[in-house]
Amino acid sequence: MAVRIVVALAVVLAGIGFLLLATYVMRRRPRETVGPSGTRVVRGAAETAPPPPAPVAAGAVPDSPEVQVNRRMFLNRVLLLSSTVFGVGMGGGSLAMLWPNKIGGFGSVIDAGNLEDIKKRIADEKQPYYNAEGRFYLVAYTPPEPDDNPYVEAECTKEGIMALYQKCAHLGCRVPFCVTSQWFECPCHGSVYNGAGEVQPNSPAPAGLWRFKMTIDGGRVLVDTSKPLAQPAKGADTVVQPPAGPHCLAAGGGGH
């Protein structure tokens, strides 16, 4: 769209310049006459007929504002107007190209896929479904008290799954999932979170993983990654899930 605007302005300016040039050429073209032999003769300044006697001059009449706008002033104003229009067009086009236009990816609503396919994959692989474009995990989650659950109230969980932001609450590292322990374990500083992204007491992270609002539309899972929310405080534990096996971290989540 910005390119079309700039091209259109360039065409308009070129047209104005062409008209001004044509007017100037027509006014400067010498007069021609036909000589005795039938050939065209250009009459120069010396060959022109003597001018008629000057009429009796009347008293001086002050020029009106319209008369004062001579050709030079007109051309100057046209040049100024053309430069202004071109500058506005270029500036507007540049601004349109630089203006952020979020149409997909992290920070927008992500279509994570079919709900049933995602739930089946989580059950079969015994690990969360990871979406790299949206930087979130979809985990299996059944709220123990649906009527009094902060994740349900924040609309972060729907129909047995929940969306967790991959970012560690400590220093922002991506937190991978450990299949053997069935916990999230951050390799940067040893923070560990249960399967619902709730931080464990011996971790350096001050709170659990952020969540994203999600909706189910026509069987598709839509996750809004524009604003993380519903971060559980340290000590929250809605699933009461001890580690299912060995930790992937050597320290077992001790941290430092």
Side-chain angles (χ1 to χ4, degrees):
M1 184 62 182
V3 175
R4 293 182 180 178
I5 293 175
V6 173
V7 172
L9 288 174
V11 171
V12 171
L13 294 177
I16 294 174
F18 177 78
L19 290 176
L20 293 174
L21 180 61
T23 302
Y24 178 77
V25 171
M26 292 295 293
R27 288 179 179 272
R28 298 286 295 176
R29 188 177 64 181
R31 293 176 295 174
E32 297 178 350
T33 59
V34 180
S37 62
T39 60
R40 291 175 177 252
V41 177
V42 179
R43 297 175 62 185
E47 299 174 353
T48 57
V56 178
V61 178
D63 289 339
S64 65
E66 290 79 10
V67 175
Q68 294 175 6
V69 181
N70 56 26
R71 181 186 300 172
R72 179 173 297 179
M73 294 175 64
F74 174 74
L75 293 177
N76 288 341
R77 292 179 181 181
V78 169
L79 178 61
L80 178 61
L81 177 61
S82 302
S83 301
T84 302
V85 172
F86 184 75
V88 170
M90 288 293 294
S94 301
L95 182 62
M97 289 186 291
L98 296 175
W99 194 265
N101 184 22
K102 179 63 70 176
I103 58 176
F106 183 75
S108 65
V109 176
I110 304 294
D111 185 343
N114 181 269
L115 172 64
E116 297 305 321
D117 292 343
I118 292 174
K119 292 173 71 173
K120 184 177 185 303
R121 180 170 172 177
I122 293 173
D124 292 346
E125 298 181 3
K126 292 182 171 38
Q127 61 181 341
Y129 174 84
Y130 178 66
N131 185 284
E133 180 184 15
R135 307 177 192 175
F136 62 82
Y137 294 97
L138 290 174
V139 299
Y141 181 76
T142 302
E145 298 180 2
D147 297 333
D148 187 24
N149 185 281
Y151 314 140
V152 174
E153 294 176 358
E155 300 183 41
C156 302
T157 178
K158 300 276 186 180
E159 300 190 30
I161 62 173
M162 181 163 57
L164 303 179
Y165 190 10
Q166 69 175 18
K167 183 178 178 181
C168 180
H170 183 216
L171 293 178
C173 297
R174 178 193 165 187
V175 185
F177 184 77
C178 178
V179 178
T180 55
S181 68
Q182 291 292 294
W183 279 8
F184 291 94
E185 302 183 8
C186 181
C188 293
H189 303 94
S191 294
V192 292
Y193 309 81
N194 63 21
E198 297 161 336
V199 68
Q200 299 304 296
N202 59 340
S203 299
L209 299 178
W210 290 96
R211 282 110 233 281
F212 289 127
K213 182 177 179 179
M214 57 178 295
T215 57
I216 309 296
D217 186 6
R220 308 291 297 182
V221 179
L222 306 179
V223 180
D224 184 359
T225 61
S226 63
K227 182 180 180 181
L229 41 81
Q231 184 183 37
K234 198 162 190 175
D237 190 356
T238 62
V239 292
V240 190
Q241 177 196 358
H247 291 283
C248 294
L249 297 178
H256 59 274

